[in-house]
Amino acid sequence: MPATPTFRTTTRHMLKESKTYASQTLMGGLSGFESPIGLDRRDRLSALKSGDIGFVHSWDINTSVDGPGTRMTVFMSGCPLRCQYCQNPDTWKMRDGKPVYLDAMIKKVDRYKDLFKATHGGITFSGGESMMQPAFVSRVFHAAKEMGVHTCLDTSGFLNTNYTDEMLEDIDLCLLDVKSGDEEIYHKVTGGTLQPTIDFGQRLAKAGKKIWVRFVLVPGLTDSEENVENVAKICETFGDSVEHIDVLGFHQLGRPKWHELRIPYPLENQKGPNAATRERVAKQFKDHGFTVY
């Protein structure tokens, strides 16, 4: 007689300790979203192009981090840049995300719309780079606007041409990462080029959209007086659309993900900016008339 096979039973305690459980809680992961089943690669590509599905890494409910009020922040998968200080290298590849139906995402926004209205919050698309999936994001934004929900796009602007002028209409606020004011430094930081970010910011300004500029301050990389001055001059071309500039000090919170993914981390021993550097950079922006946070 063959031995009776034994099966490991997942207990509640074991489940709570698992990474899968941790990623499927209310405040993160993809719990509650319908995912397409049985679509072959061609069907998925077609649905992605039309915006009927989007590849999503995770989502979260937060306050005063990714825009005003209480927000549903959706982290899309896929990014064309490779920023040295990226906190989410696990979002670089679109195929690593989970395909989510457009209707499922819209229903999730509808579920929280009363909360958003009460707190003057809304939905934010981040990433990765949400502009890699313009059809999906813009269709969700359009549906959100029809519900009276505030919309916010968190982006580098590098994929400027992916967004049509019509798509811009449903954006209330853009968190625009101006990663450098110098082309050479920008390429060193991201592997990309600076001009598309400038072009996108100017298009937003022309369309009358509000912009919160984000600038990551990395000692020895982005902190030179000349580079900061160039960032400020770029922001001046966005005119009154810029409500404020967030100077974000570099930190090492993303380093464990690089290690887990076994990607060589270029800023392994990098320190964050000291108080004097932060004050000097803030003053530079203030001298150009900007509010700085």
Side-chain angles (χ1 to χ4, degrees):
M1 293 283 295
T4 301
T6 58
F7 299 95
R8 185 181 182 192
T9 302
T10 302
T11 65
R12 174 179 288 270
H13 175 70
M14 289 162 58
L15 184 64
K16 285 189 173 182
E17 288 185 340
S18 74
K19 290 184 179 180
T20 300
Y21 179 87
S23 69
Q24 297 299 319
T25 62
L26 174 63
M27 298 305 180
L30 290 171
S31 179
F33 283 129
E34 293 180 72
S35 180
I37 297 174
L39 292 182
D40 62 20
R41 183 174 182 275
R42 184 178 61 181
D43 289 338
R44 288 193 179 198
L45 289 175
S46 177
L48 177 66
K49 184 176 181 180
S50 67
D52 289 318
I53 64 171
F55 284 81
V56 179
H57 173 270
S58 58
W59 70 284
D60 197 0
I61 295 290
N62 58 61
T63 303
S64 300
V65 176
D66 299 310
T70 299
R71 309 199 68 80
M72 174 181 174
T73 301
V74 182
F75 298 92
M76 303 299 288
S77 292
C79 185
L81 301 180
R82 293 295 180 265
C83 298
Q84 291 192 28
Y85 48 69
C86 181
Q87 295 183 61
N88 300 307
D90 50 338
T91 65
W92 285 351
K93 299 176 182 178
M94 192 182 298
R95 66 174 180 266
D96 290 342
K98 181 178 180 181
V100 170
Y101 278 122
L102 173 68
D103 288 347
M105 181 65 71
I106 292 174
K107 287 178 182 177
K108 186 68 71 174
V109 177
D110 184 65
R111 176 182 174 185
Y112 290 104
K113 67 180 180 183
D114 291 339
L115 172 65
F116 297 149
K117 292 176 183 178
T119 64
H120 303 289
I123 180 170
T124 297
F125 273 105
S126 185
E129 175 51 74
S130 52
M131 289 181 73
M132 280 193 72
Q133 303 184 60
F136 181 82
V137 172
S138 63
R139 289 179 70 182
V140 174
F141 274 174
H142 188 73
K145 294 308 300 173
E146 290 184 332
M147 300 178 204
V149 173
H150 183 274
T151 60
C152 177
L153 183 71
D154 182 4
T155 180
S156 69
F158 179 70
L159 297 176
N160 167 46
T161 56
N162 276 18
Y163 255 59
T164 65
D165 289 343
E166 184 179 4
M167 290 174 176
L168 293 184
E169 293 178 6
D170 292 315
I171 299 174
D172 290 316
L173 170 67
C174 181
L175 310 182
L176 184 61
D177 294 326
V178 182
K179 300 173 186 290
S180 170
D182 176 88
E183 187 68 60
E184 184 177 344
I185 295 173
Y186 190 95
H187 183 73
K188 183 177 181 180
V189 171
T190 71
T193 55
L194 172 60
Q195 191 60 47
T197 297
I198 300 173
D199 294 341
F200 189 65
Q202 292 175 349
R203 287 181 63 208
L204 289 166
K206 185 178 180 180
K209 304 303 177 180
K210 295 300 181 182
I211 301 172
W212 292 3
V213 171
R214 288 178 162 181
F215 173 66
V216 179
L217 184 59
V218 186
L221 186 60
T222 66
D223 66 335
S224 73
E225 290 189 28
E226 182 180 8
N227 188 49
V228 174
E229 282 298 308
N230 287 337
V231 171
K233 291 175 182 177
I234 288 170
C235 293
E236 286 180 331
T237 71
F238 306 154
D240 294 336
S241 287
V242 179
E243 292 195 328
H244 66 258
I245 297 177
D246 290 311
V247 177
L248 307 175
F250 170 78
H251 55 68
Q252 289 285 7
L253 294 180
R255 180 167 58 182
K257 287 187 178 181
W258 288 72
H259 291 178
E260 184 177 351
L261 295 170
R262 297 184 179 181
I263 304 172
Y265 185 44
L267 301 177
E268 187 69 39
N269 299 309
Q270 178 67 55
K271 304 295 184 181
N274 58 35
T277 301
R278 294 177 69 106
E279 290 174 8
R280 185 261 297 169
V281 171
K283 183 178 184 304
Q284 285 186 261
F285 285 126
K286 289 176 182 177
D287 286 346
H288 284 265
F290 293 112
T291 299
V292 180
Y293 290 158

